[in-house]
Amino acid sequence: MKLQPLLIAFFASAFVFSQEHSHKSSRILVFPDVPGYRTLKTDLHQHTVFSDGNVWPTIRVMEALRDNLDVISLTEHIEYQPHKEDIPHPDRNRSYELALQEAKDHDLLIIHGSEITRKPPMGHSNAVFIQDANTLLNDKAEDSFAESKKQGAFVFWNHPAWHPQSPNGNPILSDFQKERIQKGELHGIEIINMGDYAEESLALALEHNLTIMGNSDIHGLIDWDYTEKGHDRPITLVFAKEKTQESVKEALFAGRTVAVYNSLLVGKKENLTPLLKACIQIEKAQYINKTSILEVTLKNVSSSDLIFENQMPYTFYSSSPVFTISAGETKTINIKTLERKDGLTLTLKALGAYVAPKVQPIVEWEIKVEE
Amino acid sequence: MKLQPLLIAFFASAFVFSQEHSHKSSRILVFPDVPGYRTLKTDLHQHTVFSDGNVWPTIRVMEALRDNLDVISLTEHIEYQPHKEDIPHPDRNRSYELALQEAKDHDLLIIHGSEITRKPPMGHSNAVFIQDANTLLNDKAEDSFAESKKQGAFVFWNHPAWHPQSPNGNPILSDFQKERIQKGELHGIEIINMGDYAEESLALALEHNLTIMGNSDIHGLIDWDYTEKGHDRPITLVFAKEKTQESVKEALFAGRTVAVYNSLLVGKKENLTPLLKACIQIEKAQYINKTSILEVTLKNVSSSDLIFENQMPYTFYSSSPVFTISAGETKTINIKTLERKDGLTLTLKALGAYVAPKVQPIVEWEIKVEE
Amino acid sequence: MKLQPLLIAFFASAFVFSQEHSHKSSRILVFPDVPGYRTLKTDLHQHTVFSDGNVWPTIRVMEALRDNLDVISLTEHIEYQPHKEDIPHPDRNRSYELALQEAKDHDLLIIHGSEITRKPPMGHSNAVFIQDANTLLNDKAEDSFAESKKQGAFVFWNHPAWHPQSPNGNPILSDFQKERIQKGELHGIEIINMGDYAEESLALALEHNLTIMGNSDIHGLIDWDYTEKGHDRPITLVFAKEKTQESVKEALFAGRTVAVYNSLLVGKKENLTPLLKACIQIEKAQYINKTSILEVTLKNVSSSDLIFENQMPYTFYSSSPVFTISAGETKTINIKTLERKDGLTLTLKALGAYVAPKVQPIVEWEIKVEE
Amino acid sequence: MKLQPLLIAFFASAFVFSQEHSHKSSRILVFPDVPGYRTLKTDLHQHTVFSDGNVWPTIRVMEALRDNLDVISLTEHIEYQPHKEDIPHPDRNRSYELALQEAKDHDLLIIHGSEITRKPPMGHSNAVFIQDANTLLNDKAEDSFAESKKQGAFVFWNHPAWHPQSPNGNPILSDFQKERIQKGELHGIEIINMGDYAEESLALALEHNLTIMGNSDIHGLIDWDYTEKGHDRPITLVFAKEKTQESVKEALFAGRTVAVYNSLLVGKKENLTPLLKACIQIEKAQYINKTSILEVTLKNVSSSDLIFENQMPYTFYSSSPVFTISAGETKTINIKTLERKDGLTLTLKALGAYVAPKVQPIVEWEIKVEE
């Protein structure tokens, strides 16, 4: 019966229509691997009822699976325990244990972590890859950091620009942080948290060689804070050799990350540029008959909408120099090469991306022209 | 009964949700007036069965009403009559007459126009505000242009970069066009046609002081070429003193236009900048309590998605420096002013807009801070 | 690289979500074949500029291809020629010829037809499978019908309940129609036209053994009258042996049709019941572990939403007895069989369907239970 | 400036389009009041981390506010405490207290309740309007019921057809329930739970005069179980004199309820019929010029899609006798009254509604014809 191809056309048409339309309808996060590394999607800053969050740890695992994450950490506030009256537990490792249990039949890595939660100038910091959260509970913040280092943890400074602790909205690198960095007790910094991005924090990251991080800091529901608004949760992409705890840890210490929030991607040039390059696949490159206009079909294989600006000496026949390829969308651009070529270097500046404050990366793809 | 407010909440919630989501669901085009002028939405390049189009003129009027246009012209090819076997009419004014009749109870202006359709180097040109299309039919193109001038028409060069007539996709300013310009017989140039934009045509416009135009050149259905793909038809915004034929004509000769296709807006600085400024309304400006972070609520009152880049000495607390405000969307940005101010100048570069090849306009809004 | 499965999940998730949601997003019409016959989707009542329609015949072909139709006829009013001033053509066969040309590289059958357009009591009738429309132009309607018969045409009575010709909205079977039927000059009747359904016309069809028809009678754009409102165009499903002109004609004379408009399907029992049966595919039937509740997965492989009511002696565990399976949707029902069975007969009444006025068909599917 | 009306048209068009399309885009539940009573939307069966749910009680309050509920109860399992290791609290009143606190600035009533959770034949039952959950914890179920009665609680039997406790999916009215009913210790019964409807439970409700209930029994997230699938959470509509605790309690004991899940509405005739009647507002009734066809515009002011079947002696001009009016939709039907009337009784059977197993209510509206 000839119904099958018709059904496929029926279903495909609905889908093609939505691709053309580029309407975000899926919460699944997707990013391609880069040469030499797996691209792991991580959210290493989350809360549950075991500190000041509102859900049982199992919900965080389920959210992560729905969003297609690879790695999470439930980083409860060690010191701040607003549910203490009902959850009087002395064991700060519980949310980690419960998450591990929920995730056991899945491919999701659960990293043991905690949030050292202090007033300014110490601020809030997450220690991940810890062994025991209970020993991180100390009177003096310095001792918590020292203990974290002893446990081999990777420690990052959370939302340093958070206005309740810095009223002008800029990070304040105090002596406390400087000492921690010196002592090898502070290794990273969130430049994206809860959808807030601070370029001054990015500047600190580059200046002090701190690993660039982006996390949700979710307390309520991902659905309410992000999904229903058509947003993705903020994440840190980690470029690791394999999808294992050790490999993720190695990558974090090596600084191989990109922070992502919707169409904003931030990272060091050596990490961000290969990622952007891999996000766009060249599907076709063919000259329009009888012209010197090269029709190039691009596909954005990531879940972030990407905004680009043409940087080539050639102009476009059809599109504006500034164009967006939506998540999952296939788009055709027409390059006026003036004479027929065998190949060329597609050169675009990624406008939603930063390798330094106000500095956007330029990405190149080698195109071979088909006959 | 307390149902009314609930119903309003019910319906409003659905709508607010869609605004947040910024999904293009309406074909209605909307652009604000600018100081001193009405902003009229025009499409002055369309075809019907009376040349090589596929619909009766009444459909063009209905499409224009659905899209909320102010002014249209059905510019049939004078010389090219592929339906001649069935429509052997000698009267080239017919599609204008039929459109006038259909539009008589509506607020839509129908401009009498024709397309002088020739091979390169003459190319295709539209003459609008003609009196009689029949006398434009001549052996020599020069005579058609001369006759147009005699009739007081405004004449613009269509899709000069169109690859069937220019294989490298660039406009070729031949002696023919130069003469026409010299003789005051050619006044404008399409830099957008059928969704194709040519920055080289924009360069010609600026160099030779030709009025910047953007039109659909629709032959089939607006629904199929644009609406169902989530696109708007290309239009020319004309900044006229009133919504009358004379006023539109005056504005075209004066060069007061901006060509628009989705989020691409192109025009001379003196026309484009006031338009962009009017497209964004400042709804609220208030400091976040206890901080020097100014929360500013912006509303995009146009039907084009607008992409901006922060140009202020201040950075944002939350958003990327590059951000999009979708058509009809309300968006909040947070400006870190470092100390509390009574007011400031919001300065943004419009990334989807051009005042010259590769030159994007910078727009300023004066903000007064509320207590 | 493991991206492929992720991409498939990414895209599939968006699609599954929309299926669950049953939101009509595709205009493609799909209906399964029935035992012994191809199910051909036809619209045999359409107009173009060649009578009182508003588009060139090519648009009708393009609409039909977009809707995935199999057979169309452009049945211009023979007598009524409102565009005569511009299309003075004496040849009433033109729109057929132009459509044939447009459709030549496609799998769409173009049937030659015309509309005999008269005042009451004659009304409007379509003659399809004619040889020459010009000879159908006569002073007396009787002669047009006689000529149609001579040409071997299949003739059906259009919108007999149309209120401009019958102010109470009911068909009036006058002596004219009775004579035509007697003389074998009138063979069918539209019970659906332009989205209007008349059960009194269905009664006449059954009483006088007239073939049941449903058509769009489109004058403007299918997009405006149907698609943008989330509706399908009305069609006649013809159950033919093959997809050929002769086969379609044979099926029409044999009365093997079902008229369809969205979720309304009307036809004689022997035609409608097999169609409904084929529209629902049983995908899975398995008992829930440790219970006597049979979980049955149904898939609606048609493009019509279908409303059913349980007619079995067994009740449902979960669903209401009345339920809708949207176009393309997969739905699970749970049948409480009270004891485990090897198989059972799923019996449902199709609530949006009629085999006679107020009589809805009951459809049965044999279900074999999996281990 | 004439922008305002254009903006209103711009925004309204998007909204009208979606209404026409009837795509469920809002989770807000809306039901009209009925003569003499407020129609309160309640969900009296929910769980949090304080028994076997997965969220802090505050999330349940927030979900209820998002869904526009009027009344909720967090009915934790008294006996079943899977989170005991982390929440060792002896006080079974905690989730009620925390919900009260969260809801204090809102118009949402929080009812104190608990779930007496036993094996068959006792099953699960909710006691609401209790004073102290702790005293409901007893070895023998009979004592829990007696204590509930002593506290003046309203007690209902949960999901009696739940297959883990009744493998054929039918409720088993055991001696235990009969005694409870006799002793005035069991007053109601869930005929809808978690989206499952059992007509056998409805039969029991009618036979034993038990109040008809429908609830979510939510353990995870309303968003995941209902909202993202385009479904509403199941609720019990309570027809109370005022929106107060006492009034709700009075209405429950009096049996004035309707259980609702999407387009399924179930209740005793005296409660369901007035509700359906109020859900449809007649907006306009006017004869089509020169005909005896009455055009009646109906608006469904509820958040449930409603399916109706014409029961009048008159037929429809346009629509099928079976039609759906989606939530919030305005629909026009055309009634062929054969001669002009001053008024008539619109009579429809509600196909998604039940007043007894397989018995659907017939609803009447008095229509006055406009000039």
Side-chain angles (χ1 to χ4, degrees), chain A residues 54 56 66 86 94 223-224, chain D residues 54 56 86 94 223-224:
Chain A
N54 276 325
W56 200 251
R66 279 163 169 266
D86 299 289
R94 274 302 282 167
D223 280 69
W224 293 353
Chain D
N54 275 324
W56 200 250
D86 299 289
R94 273 304 279 167
D223 280 69
W224 292 354

Side-chain angles (χ1 to χ4, degrees), chain D residues 79 116 118 122 136 138-146 176 180 185:
Chain D
E79 309 84 346
I116 301 165
R118 304 286 168 147
M122 287 88 66
L136 293 182
N138 291 286
D139 283 341
K140 291 166 102 185
E142 290 87 338
D143 294 339
S144 302
F145 277 79
F176 182 81
R180 305 282 77 66
E185 291 173 354

